[in-house]
Amino acid sequence: MISRSSQHAGGGLRICRIFTVWYWLVLAVARCCKRATRLSCIKAFAHSKPAIRLLMGLCFGIALSLVIAPFIEDHCARFLTPSARSVSYFPDDDGDYEPEIKPIPTVKDDGGKQPPIVRPRYLFTELGIKEKLFISVFTDARSVETRGVAVNRTSNHLVQKLTFFMNGGQSSVLPQGLPVVTFSNNQSHMVPFHTIKYISDHYLNAYDWFYFQSDSTYMRADRLMDFVQHVSVAQNLLIGKPVETENEKVFTCDLEAGILLSQPVMAVVVNNLDWCIRNSMPGKSDARNLRTCLTRAAEDLNISCIDQVNELSYVYHTSQSLNLTSSMPESQLSDLSKAVAIGSFKNEPDFYRLHRLLSEYEMKLVRTQLDALVEEITKIAPLTPEGNKSLVWPIGITPPTKPLNRFDLIQWDYFTDTHIYFDDDFTNIRELKGVDKQDIQDIKSTALDRLNAKYEDRFPRMRLINGYRRFDAARGMEYILDLALFDRKSKNEIFKRVNLLRPLGDVEIVPMPYVTENARVNLLLPVRPGEKDDVLSFFDSYAQTCLKSGDNTYLFVVFIFESVNQEREDIYAVIKSTIAVYENRHRSGTRITWTSVQSAGADGTKLSYVVLDALAKKLSPESLVVRCTVGMELSIEFLNRARMNTIKGWQVFFPIGFWSYKPNLIYDQHPYPTKIEISSKSGRYDTRQYVHASFYVEDYLYAKRQLAGAGGVLGTVDLYDLFVQYHSLHVFRAVEPELRLQFHIHNCTGLVGRAQSDCQHSRAHSLAARSQLGMLIFEYQQKLDQMQLKVMQQQRGENVGQMKPEMLRKK
């Protein structure tokens, strides 16, 4: 078979011959046209003998070339360039190109089975993407409560990871909320080496840059983050303030100015850790010993400490001769604002004074830049297609959303000082309270302050006449206020309308601790006497979802006895025997166990805490608990999301489940579906149900202790309010499509406060959708009308039968 390269070479030869023939044809026509005028050119060409001979030769040449071309292509290929003869850009086959798939080599275990391929949950883990910067601060017992706290308050919120390191034997009380790692060794000169060992064990392969400093150095965290964002981590870099060493060719860095290491350099420092410990000097400071260790790593890599990389300068200043007052010259503030680190500070207040001066200076620069941008936008606006109409207040903010039709119109909500009207489709008027009330009060105060700033404090007080607000997802919350202002000068009320905007800021990713899907989930299932007939379906769902798949779960069933007679008769005997069958059938890590409690007259909120306390006694504080209910469909996806969304000491999870409507009201025929299908006709997401929760036992016990310390009573708040009011962690609420629940009538007995009102609301809306209930009422009314007509007809027939014949005759 002829390769495509030779085919293209033959095609090139044919193209050359065709162009040559047409060249001679055009040349002959041009000569012919010279002998005749333009009008008689065609006629002269037709009667010219050379032209006739040319056409005959042309036809003969084309025919001959088509016949002999295949025989001479191989001979002509030797006139092509070597690259044209050897390089082929197409595969040999004529089919479509398919990439070559290289399978993963199979590795079998001892049992001859190939283990499953486990991929990381997050993409950045699989690609090896690391966090940017890890900051280590050396402190001690004398300064951790002063300078250590100052460094943490001025820098921690601007960086990804900041940790303090100190000897543990020096102080027994540490500031609350300060991320401190303590070491049992009391030798101060060993703190840098313990720190390096700690980083190598936990964070060496998780960060691109590592930064060391003492707690006497004021760190410009935003400048440091911007610096590392513009420098490649692939280089061996040791950045800081260069200091001479015994080796004239190598410079090391000063700890007081901060030391920045790239990950490859940090890896070499870790490898030389044993040498650093052997050559450390107990009488010297931790800064001197760290400098010696870094010098060794620099010699191994043939590098030195530098203060400039890729035209970026690492600027350092000292605190000596700094006048930390409002009278500091602007030129000095400008120089300090360019620094990455400023040291050495002896007093804690100096940190806050310098931080305030630099923050005010940078805010002033930002305002100047904003004013310049506003002026530039105003100048450019007339040159745009829309002209000055393109200027939308406030300048620089995204313009309001333009609705495509009447359904896209954003509704304005009317409010007064006490109430808000028509804020949703289901309420006409609602009292202002909570965050809504705070929002209105704040916006009124802001409006008065801005008016007084513009009119020289003419308005000591005001009252709200009308207020409107709407939320535009493109720009933020907009307000229109009609105000009655008391004027000091005229001693009268004047009326003004003001527009305000609370713009949306930049979207930021909230840093969260790393969690995995490997944690054991302890499912808590309370069973009351009225639910004992439905609990077996939950066991079947648990067996199919968790027991057969071997998921890392543990089911705790808590039987609730409402009286002594029920416990004596053992009304849960059948369920207990079913649990024993499941335990014998599945003897893996997944198990089912049960316990029982006496309600002792408790109900609702109090009873839920009795059940939780019974479980907390059987579990360790590090256990993850998911509270379930009878009629709930389990799924692996829901359990995994419970694992990922519940973080010990950080976050609890209250999923919003999909509750099914009453089957006989929404379905016309039997049998009813066994699986719940998510649709507006089969159920609803009940946002006012908090019975399902995922939390750690330690967080639950801590919230209980806080409640007791505040003098509260446990039964007066439900579990959701307990975490919100008496714990500082996040309470995460989200729609959970895999949490599906069969219909049942909510029992609101014993609930208090918000829990009771939410339960009554859920109970009222749990039967069916409003359209379905309306249709049922309509159909029922039709049946009543038909029955009434039938009765009337029967009554009329009976009356007619009792009439005499002459009464029925027409007159």
Side-chain angles (χ1 to χ4, degrees):
M1 182 174 61
I2 302 175
S3 64
R4 291 194 178 185
S5 59
S6 60
Q7 291 177 4
H8 279 264
L13 293 175
R14 293 192 188 98
I15 293 173
C16 292
R17 295 192 187 99
I18 292 172
F19 272 110
T20 302
V21 170
W22 279 106
Y23 171 78
W24 287 108
L25 178 61
V26 173
L27 183 61
V29 172
R31 289 180 179 177
C32 177
C33 289
K34 286 182 180 180
R35 298 177 184 176
T37 61
R38 292 182 179 180
L39 296 175
S40 60
C41 180
I42 299 176
K43 182 177 180 181
F45 181 76
H47 292 82
S48 175
K49 292 182 178 180
I52 295 174
R53 290 196 295 268
L54 177 62
L55 290 175
M56 292 177 60
L58 178 63
C59 295
F60 179 76
I62 293 175
L64 185 61
S65 64
L66 293 175
V67 173
I68 66 174
F71 299 98
I72 63 174
E73 279 181 348
D74 295 337
H75 177 70
C76 294
R78 60 192 178 96
F79 295 102
L80 299 175
T81 61
S83 61
R85 291 197 303 265
S86 60
V87 178
S88 174
Y89 297 97
F90 300 91
D92 292 339
D93 58 338
D94 295 333
D96 296 334
Y97 173 74
E98 294 183 0
E100 181 182 358
I101 300 176
K102 297 181 178 180
I104 300 176
T106 58
V107 179
K108 297 184 178 180
D109 54 12
D110 298 336
K113 297 181 179 180
Q114 182 179 356
I117 300 173
V118 180
R119 295 186 60 187
R121 177 171 180 81
Y122 299 106
L123 184 62
F124 74 88
T125 305
E126 188 171 32
L127 298 178
I129 300 175
K130 304 175 183 177
E131 299 289 345
K132 186 56 68 174
L133 180 63
F134 180 89
I135 298 178
S136 305
V137 181
F138 299 123
T139 185
D140 53 39
R142 297 185 300 272
S143 61
V144 65
E145 297 182 359
T146 55
R147 296 197 302 260
V149 173
V151 172
N152 185 62
R153 289 181 176 177
T154 56
S155 303
N156 196 11
H157 61 287
L158 300 173
V159 297
Q160 295 174 333
K161 185 71 175 179
L162 186 146
T163 306
F164 293 81
F165 296 92
M166 60 178 290
N167 286 331
Q170 297 177 350
S171 175
S172 58
V173 180
L174 297 175
Q176 186 176 3
L178 193 70
V180 182
V181 176
T182 58
F183 305 114
S184 58
N185 193 333
N186 293 329
Q187 299 179 4
S188 60
H189 73 283
M190 294 294 293
V191 173
F193 309 129
H194 289 310
T195 301
I196 295 173
K197 182 65 169 61
Y198 179 86
I199 293 175
S200 67
D201 294 339
H202 298 87
Y203 301 109
L204 181 61
N205 296 319
Y207 288 86
D208 288 333
W209 294 92
F210 298 89
Y211 185 78
F212 296 92
Q213 72 162 55
S214 65
D215 61 359
S216 62
T217 302
Y218 173 77
M219 171 179 49
R220 299 293 311 283
D222 52 344
R223 292 286 181 184
L224 182 60
M225 288 297 298
D226 183 69
F227 185 88
V228 298
Q229 291 287 351
H230 292 82
V231 181
S232 174
V233 72
Q235 309 176 57
N236 296 326
L237 294 176
L238 180 61
I239 303 173
K241 179 184 177 182
V243 179
E244 294 183 354
T245 62
E246 297 178 356
N247 188 347
E248 298 179 355
K249 298 181 180 180
V250 177
F251 287 84
T252 188
C253 296
D254 186 10
L255 181 63
E256 291 298 324
I259 304 174
L260 183 63
L261 294 80
S262 61
Q263 199 274 341
V265 177
M266 188 66 191
V268 175
V269 173
V270 171
N271 293 334
N272 293 332
L273 186 58
D274 293 338
W275 181 92
C276 297
I277 295 174
R278 289 195 305 268
N279 291 271
S280 62
M281 293 176 286
K284 301 296 180 181
S285 63
D286 51 359
R288 180 64 180 274
N289 287 310
L290 179 62
R291 190 184 308 170
T292 303
C293 190
L294 295 179
T295 303
R296 172 75 178 195
E299 291 175 351
D300 293 345
L301 295 172
N302 195 21
I303 60 174
S304 290
C305 179
I306 56 177
D307 58 1
Q308 189 169 0
V309 183
N310 300 335
E311 300 181 356
L312 295 175
S313 298
Y314 183 91
V315 182
Y316 166 76
H317 286 284
T318 60
S319 61
Q320 298 176 359
S321 69
L322 285 181
N323 182 21
L324 299 177
T325 62
S326 58
S327 60
M328 178 180 287
E330 189 169 334
S331 59
Q332 192 174 12
L333 281 173
S334 177
D335 294 338
L336 290 176
S337 65
K338 300 175 183 177
V340 178
I342 304 172
S344 306
F345 290 94
K346 302 299 181 182
N347 301 320
E348 175 192 8
D350 292 341
F351 275 88
Y352 300 114
R353 294 191 187 100
L354 179 60
H355 185 71
R356 177 175 180 176
L357 289 173
L358 291 177
S359 299
E360 291 177 347
Y361 175 75
E362 291 191 351
M363 288 177 61
K364 182 180 178 181
L365 292 180
V366 170
R367 292 193 185 98
T368 304
Q369 294 174 0
L370 289 176
D371 294 339
L373 288 174
V374 169
E375 184 178 357
E376 185 178 356
I377 292 173
T378 306
K379 291 180 179 179
I380 296 176
L383 305 178
T384 60
E386 297 181 358
N388 289 328
K389 294 182 180 180
S390 62
L391 289 177
V392 179
W393 180 88
I395 296 177
I397 302 296
T398 305
T401 303
K402 295 182 179 180
L404 299 178
N405 49 52
R406 63 188 180 91
F407 300 104
D408 294 335
L409 285 172
I410 303 176
Q411 175 183 339
W412 287 91
D413 300 330
Y414 176 78
F415 61 87
T416 61
D417 286 327
T418 57
H419 293 81
I420 186 169
Y421 299 80
F422 305 107
D423 61 332
D424 56 42
D425 296 334
F426 305 102
T427 57
N428 296 331
I429 183 172
R430 180 172 57 86
E431 182 182 359
L432 275 178
K433 57 184 179 180
V435 293
D436 290 326
K437 188 173 184 178
Q438 294 177 6
D439 176 51
I440 301 303
Q441 292 176 347
D442 179 64
I443 211 68
K444 287 166 53 181
S445 176
T446 302
L448 184 61
D449 293 341
R450 295 294 178 89
L451 288 172
N452 282 324
K454 184 177 181 180
Y455 294 101
E456 300 178 353
D457 293 333
R458 289 176 54 183
F459 312 116
R461 61 181 181 271
M462 70 172 185
R463 62 183 178 89
L464 178 65
I465 302 175
N466 300 307
Y468 308 89
R469 73 173 184 179
R470 71 172 186 177
F471 178 73
D472 190 340
R475 54 196 267 120
M477 186 72 79
E478 300 179 68
Y479 305 86
I480 299 177
L481 304 181
D482 294 331
L483 304 175
L485 303 163
F486 179 76
D487 190 3
R488 280 197 180 98
K489 293 184 178 181
S490 63
K491 304 299 181 180
N492 295 322
E493 272 190 344
I494 62 174
F495 302 94
K496 287 187 178 294
R497 167 168 285 191
V498 296
N499 292 63
L500 299 100
L501 173 68
R502 196 189 297 272
L504 295 174
D506 294 336
V507 178
E508 298 181 2
I509 299 176
V510 179
M512 299 292 288
Y514 178 76
V515 291
T516 63
E517 295 180 349
N518 300 325
R520 163 172 280 187
V521 176
N522 299 280
L523 301 175
L524 171 62
L525 180 66
V527 181
R528 306 190 68 170
E531 300 170 337
K532 61 180 182 178
D533 296 333
D534 300 326
V535 72
L536 297 180
S537 61
F538 183 91
F539 289 163
D540 292 338
S541 176
Y542 179 71
Q544 293 292 332
T545 305
C546 302
L547 294 181
K548 289 187 176 181
S549 62
D551 192 62
N552 191 13
T553 56
Y554 203 113
L555 176 60
F556 286 87
V557 183
V558 180
F559 298 116
I560 301 173
F561 293 101
E562 298 178 351
S563 64
V564 179
N565 293 332
Q566 291 180 353
E567 188 172 8
R568 187 182 302 112
E569 295 173 0
D570 197 4
I571 60 176
Y572 300 109
V574 177
I575 303 176
K576 294 176 183 178
S577 61
T578 306
I579 293 175
V581 170
Y582 279 114
E583 282 188 321
N584 295 329
R585 185 182 303 172
H586 304 278
R587 296 184 176 276
S588 59
T590 306
R591 296 184 59 190
I592 308 177
T593 189
W594 62 270
T595 187
S596 61
V597 295
Q598 277 280 357
S599 62
D603 206 348
T605 304
K606 293 182 180 179
L607 182 58
S608 66
Y609 286 117
V610 172
V611 174
L612 289 173
D613 292 340
L615 177 65
K617 295 177 182 178
K618 297 180 177 295
L619 297 177
S620 64
E622 293 78 18
S623 301
L624 172 62
V625 177
V626 174
R627 189 168 65 175
C628 306
T629 57
V630 175
M632 167 182 166
E633 293 184 2
L634 288 174
S635 68
I636 295 295
E637 290 78 8
F638 166 65
L639 296 177
N640 286 337
R641 271 191 284 270
R643 293 181 176 104
M644 300 299 293
N645 293 328
T646 310
I647 306 171
K648 186 176 67 172
W650 188 271
Q651 180 172 286
V652 294
F653 180 41
F654 283 81
I656 301 174
F658 185 84
W659 292 78
S660 175
Y661 289 138
K662 194 172 183 180
N664 62 341
L665 297 181
I666 61 176
Y667 298 113
D668 297 331
Q669 298 178 353
H670 289 276
Y672 301 141
T674 57
K675 294 293 183 180
I676 300 175
E677 181 181 355
I678 295 181
S679 68
S680 59
K681 297 181 180 179
S682 61
R684 60 189 286 267
Y685 285 104
D686 195 343
T687 58
R688 304 185 70 167
Q689 277 291 327
Y690 301 87
V691 64
H692 301 93
S694 177
F695 56 91
Y696 279 89
V697 175
E698 182 178 352
D699 295 329
Y700 167 70
L701 298 177
Y702 176 81
K704 280 185 58 179
R705 291 194 298 268
Q706 294 296 108
L707 173 65
V713 180
L714 192 61
T716 57
V717 293
D718 65 349
L719 184 63
Y720 177 79
D721 290 332
L722 178 70
F723 284 118
V724 171
Q725 299 177 15
Y726 299 99
H727 208 303
S728 59
L729 43 70
H730 299 271
V731 178
F732 182 48
R733 287 275 284 166
V735 170
E736 177 52 64
E738 295 300 328
L739 177 56
R740 308 180 186 187
L741 303 112
Q742 299 288 347
F743 169 81
H744 81 278
I745 299 176
H746 298 283
N747 184 13
C748 303
T749 306
L751 300 179
V752 294
R754 179 199 52 78
Q756 185 179 18
S757 60
D758 288 341
C759 180
Q760 292 174 352
H761 181 275
S762 299
R763 184 170 182 170
H765 292 79
S766 62
L767 294 176
R770 292 195 298 176
S771 60
Q772 293 170 329
L773 292 176
M775 183 60 66
L776 290 173
I777 294 173
F778 177 73
E779 292 175 355
Y780 183 71
Q781 187 65 42
Q782 280 187 328
K783 291 180 181 179
L784 287 179
D785 294 342
Q786 291 176 0
M787 291 175 62
Q788 188 175 3
L789 289 174
K790 188 176 181 180
V791 171
M792 292 176 63
Q793 290 175 358
Q794 290 177 355
Q795 291 177 352
R796 182 174 180 274
E798 292 176 358
N799 294 333
V800 170
Q802 295 175 1
M803 290 181 179
K804 297 179 179 180
E806 56 271 14
M807 297 176 61
L808 299 176
R809 295 174 185 172
K810 293 182 180 181
K811 295 181 178 180

